[in-house]
Amino acid sequence: MAITLIMHTAIKHDVAFFDFLRGWSAVLVFFHHAAILGGGPSFLSGQIGQEAVNAFMVASGFLIYFQCATSRSYDQLQSWNGMRNFYIRRFFRIAPAYYFALIAALLISTYLGQCREQIAEVLPSSATSMDRYYIKDYLFSALIHLSFVFGMLPQYSFSTPLPDWSLGL
């Protein structure tokens, strides 16, 4: 009984650490982008953002694995029922907020593109490809993104103002 309690406490601590790492990595990525767009401190606009993305992905990958390994409803992804339960739960966790953000991003993409151009006039180092703001085929782009297929099509993996490229990972 005591060993089980100690293991449970240690595991809970490890999961809390990875949650903490993921949260702070997300904050650093946010400040990294803010520093690039706003001409902030160079230590924030440098390598720290890329490393924070890496830390976020590692922590998220571990937490997803841990959830699959310990949850009985996922059967460690060893059965069709376990995989189905996992993907249904992931879909309903991600899709509602993603669909809302996608629709908003598509509706204001041109305006966002104009804003990005104005920022790039003042801070030329922040200039980026404008293809994701001036979308050529809204309907097709929306369908590709609503179906989550965009991650398998390289030309669409970064084709909206959203950072949705990371969903496929």
Side-chain angles (χ1 to χ4, degrees):
M1 177 74 172
I3 293 174
T4 305
L5 182 62
I6 291 169
M7 286 180 56
H8 185 275
T9 304
I11 289 171
K12 200 171 182 180
H13 178 266
D14 291 344
V15 169
F17 169 76
F18 279 101
D19 273 337
F20 172 82
L21 178 63
R22 185 171 57 169
W24 272 105
S25 297
V27 168
L28 285 174
V29 169
F30 173 80
F31 283 122
H32 171 75
H33 286 285
I36 290 171
L37 291 175
S42 61
F43 76 92
L44 283 176
S45 60
Q47 189 80 17
I48 197 167
Q50 294 170 353
E51 295 305 327
V53 168
N54 291 337
F56 181 87
M57 292 297 176
V58 168
S60 295
F62 170 79
L63 289 168
I64 287 173
Y65 164 78
F66 182 78
Q67 185 180 38
C68 290
T70 59
S71 175
R72 291 181 188 193
S73 64
Y74 300 145
D75 190 29
Q76 298 178 339
L77 300 182
Q78 298 297 315
S79 69
W80 285 110
N81 284 339
M83 285 189 277
R84 184 195 70 218
N85 292 344
F86 173 77
Y87 282 109
I88 287 172
R89 184 163 182 226
R90 291 300 296 168
F91 178 82
F92 284 106
R93 180 181 171 126
I94 294 169
Y98 174 68
Y99 287 158
F100 177 79
L102 177 65
I103 290 167
L106 290 174
L107 289 174
I108 64 170
S109 62
T110 301
Y111 171 74
L112 291 174
Q114 294 165 350
C115 292
R116 286 292 290 125
E117 287 175 340
Q118 290 175 357
I119 292 170
E121 285 176 17
V122 176
L123 296 167
S125 63
S126 72
T128 184
S129 170
M130 301 305 290
D131 292 342
R132 65 181 166 269
Y133 301 104
Y134 301 115
I135 300 167
K136 293 178 180 86
D137 187 354
Y138 270 86
L139 181 61
F140 188 70
S141 186
L143 291 174
I144 288 293
H145 283 79
L146 287 170
S147 67
F148 287 97
V149 180
F150 64 93
M152 293 183 275
L153 304 170
Q155 66 272 29
Y156 290 99
S157 63
F158 198 50
S159 63
T160 70
L162 295 176
D164 54 5
W165 60 269
S166 63
L167 288 177
L169 300 176

mmCIF file of all heavy atoms in Angstrom, residues 6-55:
data_model
loop_
_atom_site.group_PDB
_atom_site.id
_atom_site.type_symbol
_atom_site.label_atom_id
_atom_site.label_comp_id
_atom_site.label_asym_id
_atom_site.label_seq_id
_atom_site.Cartn_x
_atom_site.Cartn_y
_atom_site.Cartn_z
ATOM 1 N N ILE A 6 3.491 5.951 -2.760
ATOM 2 C CA ILE A 6 4.716 6.669 -3.129
ATOM 3 C C ILE A 6 4.837 6.759 -4.638
ATOM 4 O O ILE A 6 5.151 7.809 -5.185
ATOM 5 C CB ILE A 6 5.956 5.993 -2.495
ATOM 6 C CG1 ILE A 6 5.938 6.198 -0.984
ATOM 7 C CG2 ILE A 6 7.243 6.547 -3.088
ATOM 8 C CD1 ILE A 6 6.966 5.361 -0.244
ATOM 9 N N MET A 7 4.590 5.649 -5.344
ATOM 10 C CA MET A 7 4.669 5.666 -6.809
ATOM 11 C C MET A 7 3.636 6.617 -7.384
ATOM 12 O O MET A 7 3.930 7.369 -8.313
ATOM 13 C CB MET A 7 4.488 4.247 -7.366
ATOM 14 C CG MET A 7 5.691 3.368 -7.156
ATOM 15 S SD MET A 7 5.455 1.704 -7.810
ATOM 16 C CE MET A 7 5.046 2.013 -9.505
ATOM 17 N N HIS A 8 2.419 6.590 -6.875
ATOM 18 C CA HIS A 8 1.365 7.475 -7.361
ATOM 19 C C HIS A 8 1.754 8.932 -7.154
ATOM 20 O O HIS A 8 1.577 9.765 -8.039
ATOM 21 C CB HIS A 8 0.046 7.156 -6.652
ATOM 22 C CG HIS A 8 -1.105 7.940 -7.197
ATOM 23 N ND1 HIS A 8 -1.396 9.203 -6.764
ATOM 24 C CD2 HIS A 8 -2.014 7.635 -8.160
ATOM 25 C CE1 HIS A 8 -2.448 9.659 -7.422
ATOM 26 N NE2 HIS A 8 -2.843 8.719 -8.271
ATOM 27 N N THR A 9 2.334 9.259 -5.996
ATOM 28 C CA THR A 9 2.762 10.619 -5.709
ATOM 29 C C THR A 9 3.898 11.028 -6.640
ATOM 30 O O THR A 9 3.918 12.136 -7.157
ATOM 31 C CB THR A 9 3.204 10.749 -4.232
ATOM 32 O OG1 THR A 9 2.123 10.335 -3.411
ATOM 33 C CG2 THR A 9 3.587 12.165 -3.894
ATOM 34 N N ALA A 10 4.871 10.128 -6.866
ATOM 35 C CA ALA A 10 5.993 10.431 -7.754
ATOM 36 C C ALA A 10 5.506 10.639 -9.180
ATOM 37 O O ALA A 10 5.945 11.574 -9.862
ATOM 38 C CB ALA A 10 7.021 9.297 -7.693
ATOM 39 N N ILE A 11 4.617 9.799 -9.644
ATOM 40 C CA ILE A 11 4.080 9.933 -10.994
ATOM 41 C C ILE A 11 3.315 11.240 -11.114
ATOM 42 O O ILE A 11 3.463 11.970 -12.104
ATOM 43 C CB ILE A 11 3.201 8.718 -11.356
ATOM 44 C CG1 ILE A 11 4.078 7.479 -11.544
ATOM 45 C CG2 ILE A 11 2.386 8.991 -12.613
ATOM 46 C CD1 ILE A 11 3.316 6.184 -11.682
ATOM 47 N N LYS A 12 2.502 11.560 -10.126
ATOM 48 C CA LYS A 12 1.751 12.811 -10.142
ATOM 49 C C LYS A 12 2.703 14.005 -10.213
ATOM 50 O O LYS A 12 2.462 14.966 -10.936
ATOM 51 C CB LYS A 12 0.867 12.882 -8.892
ATOM 52 C CG LYS A 12 -0.273 13.816 -8.976
ATOM 53 C CD LYS A 12 -1.179 13.632 -7.771
ATOM 54 C CE LYS A 12 -2.366 14.540 -7.877
ATOM 55 N NZ LYS A 12 -3.250 14.390 -6.735
ATOM 56 N N HIS A 13 3.827 13.934 -9.486
ATOM 57 C CA HIS A 13 4.832 14.997 -9.502
ATOM 58 C C HIS A 13 5.454 15.122 -10.887
ATOM 59 O O HIS A 13 5.648 16.220 -11.388
ATOM 60 C CB HIS A 13 5.906 14.713 -8.443
ATOM 61 C CG HIS A 13 6.998 15.722 -8.431
ATOM 62 N ND1 HIS A 13 8.155 15.551 -9.133
ATOM 63 C CD2 HIS A 13 7.091 16.922 -7.813
ATOM 64 C CE1 HIS A 13 8.935 16.597 -8.955
ATOM 65 N NE2 HIS A 13 8.319 17.449 -8.160
ATOM 66 N N ASP A 14 5.802 13.975 -11.507
ATOM 67 C CA ASP A 14 6.400 14.009 -12.843
ATOM 68 C C ASP A 14 5.429 14.595 -13.865
ATOM 69 O O ASP A 14 5.831 15.380 -14.732
ATOM 70 C CB ASP A 14 6.828 12.609 -13.279
ATOM 71 C CG ASP A 14 7.994 12.082 -12.469
ATOM 72 O OD1 ASP A 14 8.665 12.890 -11.782
ATOM 73 O OD2 ASP A 14 8.231 10.860 -12.501
ATOM 74 N N VAL A 15 4.182 14.224 -13.806
ATOM 75 C CA VAL A 15 3.190 14.764 -14.727
ATOM 76 C C VAL A 15 3.035 16.265 -14.497
ATOM 77 O O VAL A 15 2.959 17.045 -15.450
ATOM 78 C CB VAL A 15 1.839 14.026 -14.582
ATOM 79 C CG1 VAL A 15 0.737 14.741 -15.323
ATOM 80 C CG2 VAL A 15 1.976 12.597 -15.079
ATOM 81 N N ALA A 16 3.035 16.691 -13.259
ATOM 82 C CA ALA A 16 2.930 18.120 -12.950
ATOM 83 C C ALA A 16 4.129 18.875 -13.524
ATOM 84 O O ALA A 16 3.988 19.983 -14.048
ATOM 85 C CB ALA A 16 2.828 18.340 -11.446
ATOM 86 N N PHE A 17 5.321 18.270 -13.460
ATOM 87 C CA PHE A 17 6.504 18.910 -14.032
ATOM 88 C C PHE A 17 6.343 19.101 -15.539
ATOM 89 O O PHE A 17 6.658 20.161 -16.072
ATOM 90 C CB PHE A 17 7.768 18.087 -13.747
ATOM 91 C CG PHE A 17 8.952 18.561 -14.537
ATOM 92 C CD1 PHE A 17 9.621 19.723 -14.173
ATOM 93 C CD2 PHE A 17 9.375 17.879 -15.664
ATOM 94 C CE1 PHE A 17 10.692 20.183 -14.915
ATOM 95 C CE2 PHE A 17 10.443 18.333 -16.415
ATOM 96 C CZ PHE A 17 11.112 19.484 -16.035
ATOM 97 N N PHE A 18 5.871 18.075 -16.235
ATOM 98 C CA PHE A 18 5.699 18.195 -17.681
ATOM 99 C C PHE A 18 4.592 19.189 -18.032
ATOM 100 O O PHE A 18 4.680 19.891 -19.034
ATOM 101 C CB PHE A 18 5.459 16.821 -18.315
ATOM 102 C CG PHE A 18 6.729 16.065 -18.536
ATOM 103 C CD1 PHE A 18 7.115 15.066 -17.661
ATOM 104 C CD2 PHE A 18 7.561 16.363 -19.594
ATOM 105 C CE1 PHE A 18 8.290 14.375 -17.843
ATOM 106 C CE2 PHE A 18 8.740 15.675 -19.795
ATOM 107 C CZ PHE A 18 9.114 14.683 -18.907
ATOM 108 N N ASP A 19 3.552 19.252 -17.240
ATOM 109 C CA ASP A 19 2.529 20.291 -17.434
ATOM 110 C C ASP A 19 3.140 21.685 -17.261
ATOM 111 O O ASP A 19 2.862 22.592 -18.028
ATOM 112 C CB ASP A 19 1.370 20.115 -16.449
ATOM 113 C CG ASP A 19 0.301 19.178 -16.963
ATOM 114 O OD1 ASP A 19 0.201 19.007 -18.196
ATOM 115 O OD2 ASP A 19 -0.438 18.623 -16.132
ATOM 116 N N PHE A 20 3.960 21.834 -16.232
ATOM 117 C CA PHE A 20 4.651 23.101 -15.981
ATOM 118 C C PHE A 20 5.552 23.454 -17.161
ATOM 119 O O PHE A 20 5.543 24.591 -17.650
ATOM 120 C CB PHE A 20 5.468 22.994 -14.683
ATOM 121 C CG PHE A 20 6.358 24.173 -14.424
ATOM 122 C CD1 PHE A 20 5.844 25.325 -13.840
ATOM 123 C CD2 PHE A 20 7.706 24.135 -14.742
ATOM 124 C CE1 PHE A 20 6.662 26.416 -13.583
ATOM 125 C CE2 PHE A 20 8.533 25.218 -14.494
ATOM 126 C CZ PHE A 20 8.014 26.361 -13.916
ATOM 127 N N LEU A 21 6.336 22.494 -17.628
ATOM 128 C CA LEU A 21 7.241 22.713 -18.762
ATOM 129 C C LEU A 21 6.465 23.119 -20.006
ATOM 130 O O LEU A 21 6.849 24.055 -20.720
ATOM 131 C CB LEU A 21 8.054 21.443 -19.034
ATOM 132 C CG LEU A 21 9.019 21.488 -20.216
ATOM 133 C CD1 LEU A 21 10.097 22.526 -19.988
ATOM 134 C CD2 LEU A 21 9.638 20.113 -20.431
ATOM 135 N N ARG A 22 5.370 22.447 -20.252
ATOM 136 C CA ARG A 22 4.544 22.767 -21.427
ATOM 137 C C ARG A 22 3.959 24.169 -21.308
ATOM 138 O O ARG A 22 3.969 24.945 -22.269
ATOM 139 C CB ARG A 22 3.440 21.724 -21.589
ATOM 140 C CG ARG A 22 2.628 21.921 -22.840
ATOM 141 C CD ARG A 22 1.701 20.798 -23.089
ATOM 142 N NE ARG A 22 0.799 20.593 -21.962
ATOM 143 C CZ ARG A 22 -0.255 19.816 -21.996
ATOM 144 N NH1 ARG A 22 -0.549 19.150 -23.097
ATOM 145 N NH2 ARG A 22 -1.036 19.675 -20.966
ATOM 146 N N GLY A 23 3.474 24.526 -20.138
ATOM 147 C CA GLY A 23 2.894 25.855 -19.932
ATOM 148 C C GLY A 23 3.911 26.961 -20.116
ATOM 149 O O GLY A 23 3.659 27.951 -20.828
ATOM 150 N N TRP A 24 5.087 26.829 -19.500
ATOM 151 C CA TRP A 24 6.101 27.869 -19.639
ATOM 152 C C TRP A 24 6.667 27.920 -21.046
ATOM 153 O O TRP A 24 7.019 28.994 -21.539
ATOM 154 C CB TRP A 24 7.202 27.694 -18.604
ATOM 155 C CG TRP A 24 6.829 28.418 -17.351
ATOM 156 C CD1 TRP A 24 6.388 27.865 -16.187
ATOM 157 C CD2 TRP A 24 6.775 29.832 -17.164
ATOM 158 N NE1 TRP A 24 6.076 28.847 -15.289
ATOM 159 C CE2 TRP A 24 6.307 30.078 -15.863
ATOM 160 C CE3 TRP A 24 7.065 30.919 -17.974
ATOM 161 C CZ2 TRP A 24 6.141 31.348 -15.350
ATOM 162 C CZ3 TRP A 24 6.900 32.200 -17.459
ATOM 163 C CH2 TRP A 24 6.444 32.400 -16.169
ATOM 164 N N SER A 25 6.733 26.797 -21.715
ATOM 165 C CA SER A 25 7.183 26.796 -23.111
ATOM 166 C C SER A 25 6.205 27.583 -23.975
ATOM 167 O O SER A 25 6.621 28.367 -24.837
ATOM 168 C CB SER A 25 7.312 25.367 -23.634
ATOM 169 O OG SER A 25 8.283 24.665 -22.910
ATOM 170 N N ALA A 26 4.915 27.407 -23.746
ATOM 171 C CA ALA A 26 3.906 28.153 -24.501
ATOM 172 C C ALA A 26 4.040 29.655 -24.242
ATOM 173 O O ALA A 26 3.935 30.468 -25.171
ATOM 174 C CB ALA A 26 2.503 27.668 -24.140
ATOM 175 N N VAL A 27 4.289 30.030 -22.993
ATOM 176 C CA VAL A 27 4.477 31.448 -22.657
ATOM 177 C C VAL A 27 5.700 32.000 -23.379
ATOM 178 O O VAL A 27 5.660 33.102 -23.946
ATOM 179 C CB VAL A 27 4.599 31.635 -21.126
ATOM 180 C CG1 VAL A 27 5.071 33.031 -20.770
ATOM 181 C CG2 VAL A 27 3.261 31.334 -20.455
ATOM 182 N N LEU A 28 6.804 31.244 -23.386
ATOM 183 C CA LEU A 28 8.020 31.704 -24.078
ATOM 184 C C LEU A 28 7.800 31.840 -25.581
ATOM 185 O O LEU A 28 8.310 32.772 -26.209
ATOM 186 C CB LEU A 28 9.182 30.754 -23.799
ATOM 187 C CG LEU A 28 9.809 30.870 -22.420
ATOM 188 C CD1 LEU A 28 10.847 29.774 -22.214
ATOM 189 C CD2 LEU A 28 10.434 32.239 -22.226
ATOM 190 N N VAL A 29 7.054 30.921 -26.178
ATOM 191 C CA VAL A 29 6.750 31.026 -27.609
ATOM 192 C C VAL A 29 5.935 32.295 -27.875
ATOM 193 O O VAL A 29 6.205 33.027 -28.832
ATOM 194 C CB VAL A 29 6.005 29.774 -28.125
ATOM 195 C CG1 VAL A 29 5.467 29.986 -29.522
ATOM 196 C CG2 VAL A 29 6.930 28.564 -28.089
ATOM 197 N N PHE A 30 4.965 32.569 -27.020
ATOM 198 C CA PHE A 30 4.163 33.786 -27.167
ATOM 199 C C PHE A 30 5.060 35.029 -27.123
ATOM 200 O O PHE A 30 4.977 35.904 -27.986
ATOM 201 C CB PHE A 30 3.091 33.863 -26.081
ATOM 202 C CG PHE A 30 2.349 35.166 -26.078
ATOM 203 C CD1 PHE A 30 1.327 35.392 -26.981
ATOM 204 C CD2 PHE A 30 2.700 36.178 -25.188
ATOM 205 C CE1 PHE A 30 0.652 36.607 -26.998
ATOM 206 C CE2 PHE A 30 2.036 37.391 -25.201
ATOM 207 C CZ PHE A 30 1.004 37.603 -26.107
ATOM 208 N N PHE A 31 5.929 35.113 -26.108
ATOM 209 C CA PHE A 31 6.814 36.274 -25.991
ATOM 210 C C PHE A 31 7.820 36.343 -27.132
ATOM 211 O O PHE A 31 8.212 37.429 -27.561
ATOM 212 C CB PHE A 31 7.522 36.295 -24.634
ATOM 213 C CG PHE A 31 6.638 36.758 -23.520
ATOM 214 C CD1 PHE A 31 6.398 35.955 -22.428
ATOM 215 C CD2 PHE A 31 6.025 38.005 -23.570
ATOM 216 C CE1 PHE A 31 5.567 36.375 -21.401
ATOM 217 C CE2 PHE A 31 5.198 38.439 -22.557
ATOM 218 C CZ PHE A 31 4.971 37.629 -21.467
ATOM 219 N N HIS A 32 8.231 35.198 -27.638
ATOM 220 C CA HIS A 32 9.126 35.158 -28.791
ATOM 221 C C HIS A 32 8.455 35.826 -29.999
ATOM 222 O O HIS A 32 9.048 36.687 -30.647
ATOM 223 C CB HIS A 32 9.495 33.703 -29.104
ATOM 224 C CG HIS A 32 10.225 33.505 -30.381
ATOM 225 N ND1 HIS A 32 11.548 33.829 -30.544
ATOM 226 C CD2 HIS A 32 9.813 33.025 -31.577
ATOM 227 C CE1 HIS A 32 11.923 33.547 -31.785
ATOM 228 N NE2 HIS A 32 10.883 33.051 -32.420
ATOM 229 N N HIS A 33 7.221 35.439 -30.274
ATOM 230 C CA HIS A 33 6.496 36.044 -31.407
ATOM 231 C C HIS A 33 6.227 37.522 -31.161
ATOM 232 O O HIS A 33 6.328 38.338 -32.082
ATOM 233 C CB HIS A 33 5.195 35.287 -31.673
ATOM 234 C CG HIS A 33 5.419 33.967 -32.333
ATOM 235 N ND1 HIS A 33 5.739 33.835 -33.664
ATOM 236 C CD2 HIS A 33 5.379 32.707 -31.841
ATOM 237 C CE1 HIS A 33 5.888 32.575 -33.971
ATOM 238 N NE2 HIS A 33 5.678 31.853 -32.871
ATOM 239 N N ALA A 34 5.890 37.875 -29.944
ATOM 240 C CA ALA A 34 5.655 39.285 -29.612
ATOM 241 C C ALA A 34 6.930 40.106 -29.811
ATOM 242 O O ALA A 34 6.881 41.230 -30.313
ATOM 243 C CB ALA A 34 5.135 39.415 -28.185
ATOM 244 N N ALA A 35 8.084 39.545 -29.441
ATOM 245 C CA ALA A 35 9.349 40.248 -29.603
ATOM 246 C C ALA A 35 9.692 40.429 -31.079
ATOM 247 O O ALA A 35 10.208 41.478 -31.482
ATOM 248 C CB ALA A 35 10.469 39.499 -28.875
ATOM 249 N N ILE A 36 9.397 39.418 -31.892
ATOM 250 C CA ILE A 36 9.667 39.538 -33.328
ATOM 251 C C ILE A 36 8.772 40.608 -33.946
ATOM 252 O O ILE A 36 9.235 41.479 -34.688
ATOM 253 C CB ILE A 36 9.455 38.184 -34.041
ATOM 254 C CG1 ILE A 36 10.545 37.202 -33.636
ATOM 255 C CG2 ILE A 36 9.432 38.360 -35.557
ATOM 256 C CD1 ILE A 36 10.304 35.783 -34.123
ATOM 257 N N LEU A 37 7.483 40.555 -33.640
ATOM 258 C CA LEU A 37 6.542 41.512 -34.237
ATOM 259 C C LEU A 37 6.682 42.918 -33.665
ATOM 260 O O LEU A 37 6.412 43.897 -34.347
ATOM 261 C CB LEU A 37 5.103 41.032 -34.041
ATOM 262 C CG LEU A 37 4.711 39.804 -34.835
ATOM 263 C CD1 LEU A 37 3.312 39.356 -34.463
ATOM 264 C CD2 LEU A 37 4.798 40.078 -36.319
ATOM 265 N N GLY A 38 7.088 43.018 -32.419
ATOM 266 C CA GLY A 38 7.158 44.332 -31.789
ATOM 267 C C GLY A 38 8.554 44.868 -31.618
ATOM 268 O O GLY A 38 8.745 45.919 -31.010
ATOM 269 N N GLY A 39 9.548 44.172 -32.139
ATOM 270 C CA GLY A 39 10.920 44.643 -31.999
ATOM 271 C C GLY A 39 11.407 44.568 -30.565
ATOM 272 O O GLY A 39 12.121 45.447 -30.105
ATOM 273 N N GLY A 40 11.004 43.524 -29.866
ATOM 274 C CA GLY A 40 11.352 43.375 -28.456
ATOM 275 C C GLY A 40 12.802 42.988 -28.239
ATOM 276 O O GLY A 40 13.609 42.988 -29.171
ATOM 277 N N PRO A 41 13.143 42.625 -27.011
ATOM 278 C CA PRO A 41 14.528 42.273 -26.676
ATOM 279 C C PRO A 41 15.057 41.135 -27.542
ATOM 280 O O PRO A 41 14.344 40.177 -27.820
ATOM 281 C CB PRO A 41 14.447 41.835 -25.212
ATOM 282 C CG PRO A 41 13.111 42.229 -24.719
ATOM 283 C CD PRO A 41 12.230 42.459 -25.891
ATOM 284 N N SER A 42 16.311 41.242 -27.936
ATOM 285 C CA SER A 42 16.884 40.253 -28.856
ATOM 286 C C SER A 42 16.951 38.858 -28.237
ATOM 287 O O SER A 42 16.841 37.870 -28.951
ATOM 288 C CB SER A 42 18.265 40.692 -29.312
ATOM 289 O OG SER A 42 19.126 40.810 -28.200
ATOM 290 N N PHE A 43 17.107 38.760 -26.906
ATOM 291 C CA PHE A 43 17.175 37.425 -26.312
ATOM 292 C C PHE A 43 15.841 36.690 -26.444
ATOM 293 O O PHE A 43 15.800 35.469 -26.461
ATOM 294 C CB PHE A 43 17.636 37.476 -24.849
ATOM 295 C CG PHE A 43 16.583 37.929 -23.873
ATOM 296 C CD1 PHE A 43 15.762 37.011 -23.229
ATOM 297 C CD2 PHE A 43 16.414 39.277 -23.600
ATOM 298 C CE1 PHE A 43 14.794 37.434 -22.332
ATOM 299 C CE2 PHE A 43 15.455 39.700 -22.693
ATOM 300 C CZ PHE A 43 14.646 38.781 -22.061
ATOM 301 N N LEU A 44 14.726 37.431 -26.575
ATOM 302 C CA LEU A 44 13.422 36.792 -26.770
ATOM 303 C C LEU A 44 13.158 36.460 -28.232
ATOM 304 O O LEU A 44 12.408 35.552 -28.547
ATOM 305 C CB LEU A 44 12.301 37.681 -26.240
ATOM 306 C CG LEU A 44 12.127 37.711 -24.732
ATOM 307 C CD1 LEU A 44 11.048 38.711 -24.349
ATOM 308 C CD2 LEU A 44 11.789 36.340 -24.187
ATOM 309 N N SER A 45 13.741 37.233 -29.147
ATOM 310 C CA SER A 45 13.456 36.999 -30.571
ATOM 311 C C SER A 45 14.443 36.031 -31.206
ATOM 312 O O SER A 45 14.333 35.733 -32.382
ATOM 313 C CB SER A 45 13.449 38.328 -31.334
ATOM 314 O OG SER A 45 14.710 38.968 -31.230
ATOM 315 N N GLY A 46 15.387 35.531 -30.450
ATOM 316 C CA GLY A 46 16.385 34.617 -30.991
ATOM 317 C C GLY A 46 15.989 33.158 -30.878
ATOM 318 O O GLY A 46 14.822 32.776 -31.019
ATOM 319 N N GLN A 47 16.952 32.339 -30.529
ATOM 320 C CA GLN A 47 16.825 30.884 -30.479
ATOM 321 C C GLN A 47 15.826 30.394 -29.430
ATOM 322 O O GLN A 47 15.300 29.299 -29.531
ATOM 323 C CB GLN A 47 18.208 30.297 -30.192
ATOM 324 C CG GLN A 47 18.309 28.806 -30.318
ATOM 325 C CD GLN A 47 18.446 28.353 -31.748
ATOM 326 O OE1 GLN A 47 18.784 29.150 -32.620
ATOM 327 N NE2 GLN A 47 18.188 27.101 -32.005
ATOM 328 N N ILE A 48 15.529 31.211 -28.445
ATOM 329 C CA ILE A 48 14.694 30.771 -27.328
ATOM 330 C C ILE A 48 13.308 30.297 -27.791
ATOM 331 O O ILE A 48 12.756 29.345 -27.257
ATOM 332 C CB ILE A 48 14.573 31.860 -26.241
ATOM 333 C CG1 ILE A 48 14.065 31.252 -24.953
ATOM 334 C CG2 ILE A 48 13.704 33.011 -26.698
ATOM 335 C CD1 ILE A 48 14.214 32.168 -23.756
ATOM 336 N N GLY A 49 12.743 30.950 -28.802
ATOM 337 C CA GLY A 49 11.429 30.549 -29.305
ATOM 338 C C GLY A 49 11.435 29.167 -29.923
ATOM 339 O O GLY A 49 10.537 28.364 -29.691
ATOM 340 N N GLN A 50 12.475 28.883 -30.709
ATOM 341 C CA GLN A 50 12.573 27.562 -31.336
ATOM 342 C C GLN A 50 12.779 26.479 -30.287
ATOM 343 O O GLN A 50 12.188 25.401 -30.375
ATOM 344 C CB GLN A 50 13.718 27.549 -32.343
ATOM 345 C CG GLN A 50 13.467 28.458 -33.521
ATOM 346 C CD GLN A 50 14.702 28.628 -34.394
ATOM 347 O OE1 GLN A 50 15.786 28.184 -34.061
ATOM 348 N NE2 GLN A 50 14.518 29.299 -35.517
ATOM 349 N N GLU A 51 13.594 26.755 -29.303
ATOM 350 C CA GLU A 51 13.815 25.768 -28.239
ATOM 351 C C GLU A 51 12.560 25.581 -27.391
ATOM 352 O O GLU A 51 12.284 24.479 -26.922
ATOM 353 C CB GLU A 51 15.015 26.165 -27.371
ATOM 354 C CG GLU A 51 16.325 26.161 -28.122
ATOM 355 C CD GLU A 51 16.639 24.844 -28.809
ATOM 356 O OE1 GLU A 51 16.265 23.770 -28.275
ATOM 357 O OE2 GLU A 51 17.258 24.875 -29.888
ATOM 358 N N ALA A 52 11.800 26.651 -27.199
ATOM 359 C CA ALA A 52 10.548 26.546 -26.440
ATOM 360 C C ALA A 52 9.542 25.682 -27.197
ATOM 361 O O ALA A 52 8.808 24.897 -26.590
ATOM 362 C CB ALA A 52 9.975 27.929 -26.153
ATOM 363 N N VAL A 53 9.506 25.799 -28.532
ATOM 364 C CA VAL A 53 8.625 24.937 -29.335
ATOM 365 C C VAL A 53 9.048 23.481 -29.161
ATOM 366 O O VAL A 53 8.203 22.601 -28.961
ATOM 367 C CB VAL A 53 8.642 25.342 -30.830
ATOM 368 C CG1 VAL A 53 7.982 24.276 -31.697
ATOM 369 C CG2 VAL A 53 7.955 26.675 -31.037
ATOM 370 N N ASN A 54 10.352 23.226 -29.196
ATOM 371 C CA ASN A 54 10.843 21.855 -28.998
ATOM 372 C C ASN A 54 10.444 21.319 -27.629
ATOM 373 O O ASN A 54 9.975 20.184 -27.509
ATOM 374 C CB ASN A 54 12.359 21.797 -29.160
ATOM 375 C CG ASN A 54 12.802 22.040 -30.595
ATOM 376 O OD1 ASN A 54 12.035 21.843 -31.525
ATOM 377 N ND2 ASN A 54 14.029 22.477 -30.762
ATOM 378 N N ALA A 55 10.643 22.128 -26.596
ATOM 379 C CA ALA A 55 10.283 21.694 -25.231
ATOM 380 C C ALA A 55 8.783 21.435 -25.130
ATOM 381 O O ALA A 55 8.352 20.464 -24.498
ATOM 382 C CB ALA A 55 10.718 22.751 -24.213
#
